[in-house]
Amino acid sequence: MSLKGKVAFVTGSTSGIGLAIARQMAKAGADITINGFGEATAIEAERQAIEKDFGVRCVFAEADVTKPEAMDAAIRLVEGQLGAVDILVNNAGIQYVAAAQDFPVEKWSKIIDINLSGVFYGIRAALPGMQKRGFGRIINIASAHGLVASVHKAAYVAAKHGVVGLTKVVALENARENITCNAICPGWVLTPLVQKQIDDRAAASGKSVEEETVALVSEKQPNARFAKPEEIGALAVFLCSEEARGITGTSQVIDGGWTAQ
Ligand code: NAD
């Protein structure tokens, strides 16, 4: 599957799933923009590793996805430096866990800002260039929680359901433009975002981290295994291909059977 000649912008790609998607797209030949928070020297090392490992161009665009002006500026910067943004992966996301009545209002707002509004800000910044060039692939990293709920995840579940809805609207509005918009809905993927939930469970239950790791994945996923970030990246690469141009407005699940129940 070749993405040679394409330019991808992956939000939240300094860690976890986003970094794996960026690397899979670079492996397929796309030039890459990485984005997200972290230590400057670590980000620079990742940027250089992508260029060295895959022989593509890779730039870092510093932008908080909750700031529409910053996202506009980042997309314009990449269009200037790499010539286009053909592929946008809205991946940046955070989690916070509490019962609805105890959910801190500031945590609610932050999750909605990053996990939902951030997706909209990326899309509105990238779409005009895609429409002008007659090609675009937008992939929104939603979640199994975009389709079903779990307790104590009010903001996350609300935001991810919102992402699935937004994905459908953008797909419809651009259906004749050779621009597709799809959501990927992973189940559990072992990244820092999930490790924190496991550590919190172990602290609360007094059980070991290993026991809570097995319990967390088994209680939701019939296949009882974490997906690897690279598996999400491989699906994202396929959705960007010419062969996937008929796939739009969908939610692609990689959840080991979670939402089949
Ligand atoms: P992670 O914590 O490893 O990575 C999150 C990334 O988002 C980091 O690069 C971080 O710097 C970036 N980020 C956070 N706030 C940002 C902001 N305001 N602006 C720009 N970047 C920001 O998490 P992950 O597990 O890799 O999650 C990535 C996405 O996948 C999220 O949207 C998450 O909801 C989704 N997801 C994860 C899982 C899982 O099991 N890990 C399952 C389903 C969906």
Side-chain angles (χ1 to χ4, degrees), residues 28-194:
D31 290 325
I32 302 293
T33 305
I34 53 172
N35 157 269
F37 300 142
E39 217 246 302
T41 50
I43 294 172
E44 177 56 16
E46 288 296 357
R47 190 196 67 74
Q48 286 184 18
I50 288 174
E51 289 200 330
K52 182 165 159 289
D53 294 349
F54 306 112
V56 300
R57 293 178 295 172
C58 181
V59 300
F60 172 63
E62 193 171 11
D64 180 334
V65 298
T66 67
K67 306 268 187 297
E69 328 73 50
M71 283 306 291
D72 285 347
I75 297 281
R76 297 294 90 79
L77 177 93
V78 175
E79 288 175 331
Q81 286 188 358
L82 300 180
V85 173
D86 305 298
I87 298 164
L88 172 68
V89 183
N90 289 300
N91 165 80
I94 59 166
Q95 176 62 283
Y96 187 82
V97 178
Q101 70 278 9
D102 302 325
F103 214 95
V105 169
E106 65 280 10
K107 294 286 187 196
W108 168 273
S109 299
K110 200 162 181 204
I111 289 180
I112 299 296
D113 282 353
I114 296 175
N115 294 15
L116 178 56
S117 301
V119 176
F120 169 61
Y121 299 147
I123 288 172
R124 70 183 278 286
L127 260 180
M130 291 176 174
Q131 288 165 342
K132 204 163 72 193
R133 289 184 294 272
F135 180 91
R137 295 287 185 266
I138 299 171
I139 299 172
N140 301 322
I141 306 303
S143 167
H145 286 119
L147 304 170
V148 296
S150 294
V151 297
H152 298 166
K153 295 192 173 175
Y156 190 85
V157 168
K160 295 298 189 181
H161 275 66
V163 168
V164 168
L166 172 61
T167 300
K168 293 177 190 174
V169 173
V170 173
L172 292 180
E173 289 178 1
N174 293 279
R176 299 205 177 181
E177 314 272 347
N178 196 17
I179 297 170
T180 67
C181 183
N182 291 286
I184 295 181
C185 295
W188 291 122
V189 186
L190 198 49
T191 67
L193 181 141
V194 170

Side-chain angles (χ1 to χ4, degrees), residues 178-222:
N178 196 17
I179 297 170
T180 67
C181 183
N182 291 286
I184 295 181
C185 295
W188 291 122
V189 186
L190 198 49
T191 67
L193 181 141
V194 170
Q195 190 61 52
K196 184 177 178 314
Q197 293 174 60
I198 295 171
D199 294 345
D200 289 349
R201 281 172 63 131
S205 69
K207 292 185 186 155
S208 70
V209 168
E210 292 69 30
E211 280 175 291
E212 286 295 357
T213 303
V214 173
L216 175 119
V217 73
S218 309
E219 73 197 19
K220 293 288 184 186
Q221 288 200 194

